[in-house]
Amino acid sequence: MEPHLKARGKNFYTIGLSYKKADAKIRGHFSVSDEAKQVILEQAKKEGIDSLLITSTCNRTELYGFAQHPFQLIKLLCEHTHGTVEEFEKVAYVHKNSQAIAHLFKVGTGLDSQILGDFEIISQLKKSFRESKAIGMTNPFTERLINAVIQASKRIKNETEISSGATSVSFASVHYILNNVENISEKNILLFGTGKIGRNTCENLIKHTKNEHITLINRTKTKAEEIAGKFNLIVKDYANIQSEISNTDILIVATGAQNPTISKELIYREKPLLILDLSIPKNVADDVTELSNVTLVHLDHLSQMTDDTLERRKQYIPQAEAIIEEIRGEFDSWLETRKFAPTIKALKNKLTDLKTAEIDFQRKKISDFNEEQATIISDRIIQKITTHFANHLKDDVASASDSIELIQKVFQLQNS
């Protein structure tokens, strides 16, 4: 299927690197800023690269485009990032034509994401396409391909459960709270500590619960105020922790201490209290479970929830691959049609020229010649002949190239 992917001696390539072989530091070297994207696209245009899409996320940087050699794309990437060719070659992948298409389908449908079923990348691909189109760096092939990938991504999202469930600990925390606490928007929540998972949980809680009763306490109050400003939270002094715990319904512990920061002695409360310990090592002492009103959930339990989710998602991979195969089949058929479209068009033009000459000749030769009827019949015959040829080329893909050559020879065609 490769010859018809060529555009004037060029092939379709994907070049890039991802989390699979490149660590965060190296991925950072090849990160492409929005400004750099524009410069790369402009330069690619001058260098005769046919259509180019660029994606750059924290997990991958990839370029997709038509070039005479993949090094043209690699050179562009290295010139406009902090990465070197030597560094790129150690961690990179280069896919050509059919493999490049397959890779793009896999990436765009979340099957190649660090978290299986993460669909963030599809919005990146849409954005990349818009940026390239605005500068005149797309063609019918890339437009059709991106649309096919978007369609596959939508269907996989809607028809499978590959993106269901919580996959990050902070999101699993919110899931746990939403599933186990009634009227969450009316409950008091206390976030103790400013660890990353705690902050993310806090952000997710605000987003999903519309809760406006969140208080933050940190040993260093200025740090607490800095974070609280972002999320519009109430900040209380560390000295008040005991009274704050007695007023709260949910306590999220995100401290980074080596020993427990919350123990049984700090809890004076009879109503139910849910404690989420999101710290490593544990920062909530086990003795809090001796209190009958306290439920303690640790990071390990939430991590297990995310592991189970990812394990469960794997069972939907064959279903997702079947959807990709179906849409890829439609795309390949379109591609095959494009391969012989110029020949069919040239054949139609040739037959039309023969028709025009013949009608001119008969008009002069036959008195009361009915030109209108002759044109209707000729056009229908031309349509039937070209359809026969088109169907033959579609049905006999294996020898299509030979057939095209024969048609061109017999009818002395010049593809327009």
Side-chain angles (χ1 to χ4, degrees):
M1 89 160 256
E2 311 230 326
H4 57 279
L5 268 174
K6 292 186 176 179
R8 294 183 293 284
K10 295 168 191 170
N11 289 289
F12 180 62
Y13 291 104
T14 290
I15 65 112
L17 55 122
S18 76
Y19 66 92
K20 287 184 177 175
K21 274 180 83 176
D23 60 28
K25 189 181 173 189
I26 290 177
R27 294 200 304 274
H29 290 177
F30 290 96
S31 180
V32 183
S33 66
D34 285 345
E35 296 75 33
K37 266 189 194 180
Q38 291 303 308
V39 177
I40 292 173
L41 289 168
E42 293 281 9
Q43 196 176 323
K45 202 173 187 180
K46 285 175 195 159
E47 291 177 10
I49 288 166
D50 229 31
S51 186
L52 180 65
L53 307 181
I54 307 160
T55 60
S56 187
T57 69
C58 53
N59 282 331
R60 71 178 68 244
T61 294
E62 293 182 338
L63 269 63
Y64 321 93
F66 281 92
Q68 279 167 327
H69 194 279
F71 190 71
Q72 287 175 280
L73 302 179
I74 295 165
K75 188 167 154 284
L76 273 173
L77 176 64
C78 295
E79 273 176 12
H80 299 285
T81 60
H82 298 293
T84 63
V85 173
E86 293 72 29
E87 206 174 21
F88 180 82
E89 282 171 347
K90 282 178 194 159
V91 295
Y93 40 83
V94 173
H95 301 300
K96 181 180 176 182
N97 293 339
S98 189
Q99 283 73 32
I101 294 171
H103 179 76
L104 190 52
F105 267 102
K106 206 172 173 192
V107 168
T109 54
L111 295 187
D112 199 59
S113 298
Q114 192 161 20
I115 295 171
L116 176 66
D118 179 358
F119 282 99
E120 280 301 302
I121 189 73
I122 199 70
S123 56
Q124 294 281 345
L125 285 170
K126 286 178 187 174
K127 183 172 175 268
S128 303
F129 182 78
R130 282 196 305 272
E131 288 165 346
S132 293
K133 191 165 188 174
I135 212 167
M137 277 300 279
T138 58
N139 61 17
F141 170 89
T142 44
E143 182 147 7
R144 186 82 178 218
L145 178 57
I146 287 292
N147 283 331
V149 172
I150 291 167
Q151 190 192 348
S153 151
K154 264 187 202 159
R155 279 191 52 191
I156 289 168
K157 215 173 194 175
N158 295 334
E159 295 172 30
T160 78
E161 290 178 43
I162 205 161
S163 58
S164 62
T167 52
S168 70
V169 170
S170 61
F171 200 55
S173 311
V174 176
H175 260 252
Y176 185 90
I177 293 168
L178 290 173
N179 292 335
N180 292 280
V181 179
E182 287 180 19
N183 304 322
I184 182 66
S185 58
E186 293 156 29
K187 302 292 183 189
N188 291 324
I189 300 171
L190 174 62
L191 175 63
F192 177 38
T194 54
K196 189 184 174 191
I197 294 173
R199 291 199 311 274
N200 289 349
T201 300
C202 191
E203 192 172 351
N204 275 320
L205 271 173
I206 293 163
K207 205 186 289 179
H208 296 283
T209 67
K210 308 286 181 277
N211 190 303
E212 290 170 10
H213 318 277
I214 301 178
T215 303
L216 176 57
I217 291 180
N218 195 53
R219 283 178 194 273
T220 318
K221 196 176 181 185
T222 50
K223 196 163 185 192
E225 283 167 342
E226 194 184 306
I227 288 160
K230 273 187 204 170
F231 302 129
N232 200 17
L233 312 180
I234 304 152
V235 176
K236 290 289 171 80
D237 288 314
Y238 175 58
N240 298 344
I241 191 157
Q242 202 163 350
S243 61
E244 287 303 322
I245 290 173
S246 67
N247 287 328
T248 201
D249 300 295
I250 300 163
L251 168 61
I252 298 167
V253 181
T255 46
Q258 287 307 302
N259 298 306
T261 53
I262 298 289
S263 61
K264 185 180 168 184
E265 285 70 43
L266 281 175
I267 301 166
Y268 289 92
R269 178 191 166 86
E270 286 174 9
K271 286 199 290 181
L273 173 65
L274 170 63
I275 304 176
L276 265 61
D277 185 359
L278 308 182
S279 319
I280 300 172
K282 292 180 180 182
N283 274 201
V284 177
D286 290 333
D287 65 3
V288 301
T289 56
E290 292 167 17
L291 300 165
S292 59
N293 61 318
V294 172
T295 305
L296 173 63
V297 177
H298 187 251
L299 187 74
D300 290 345
H301 174 73
L302 297 165
S303 297
Q304 184 57 48
M305 278 171 69
T306 68
D307 290 346
D308 292 348
T309 292
L310 290 170
E311 217 35 60
R312 199 167 58 250
R313 285 183 175 195
K314 285 180 188 170
Q315 73 192 53
Y316 299 106
I317 292 175
Q319 207 181 334
E321 286 175 337
I323 291 169
I324 290 172
E325 202 174 322
E326 187 187 326
I327 292 170
R328 170 78 194 264
E330 290 165 10
F331 177 75
D332 287 348
S333 297
W334 172 81
L335 216 44
E336 285 296 343
T337 308
R338 274 182 68 79
K339 177 184 176 182
F340 56 73
T343 301
I344 295 299
K345 191 180 169 191
L347 174 62
K348 197 169 189 174
N349 290 343
K350 179 77 175 188
L351 294 173
T352 304
D353 288 346
L354 292 173
K355 174 201 85 170
T356 307
E358 191 58 35
I359 285 176
D360 278 350
F361 175 72
Q362 298 298 347
R363 193 195 303 116
K364 289 166 193 166
K365 195 176 174 190
I366 302 171
S367 58
D368 70 356
F369 175 65
N370 191 327
E371 192 173 331
E372 193 184 337
Q373 286 182 349
T375 303
I376 290 168
I377 293 165
S378 307
D379 286 346
R380 281 182 64 85
I381 291 169
I382 289 170
Q383 189 56 46
K384 282 191 161 72
I385 292 169
T386 51
T387 301
H388 267 281
F389 276 112
N391 288 339
H392 164 73
L393 293 170
K394 245 185 236 175
D395 297 340
D396 193 8
V397 170
S399 62
S401 296
D402 294 339
S403 297
I404 286 171
E405 208 177 311
L406 183 64
I407 294 164
Q408 287 172 341
K409 207 178 277 181
V410 169
F411 290 97
Q412 297 168 330
L413 302 179
Q414 290 298 312
N415 283 356
S416 55

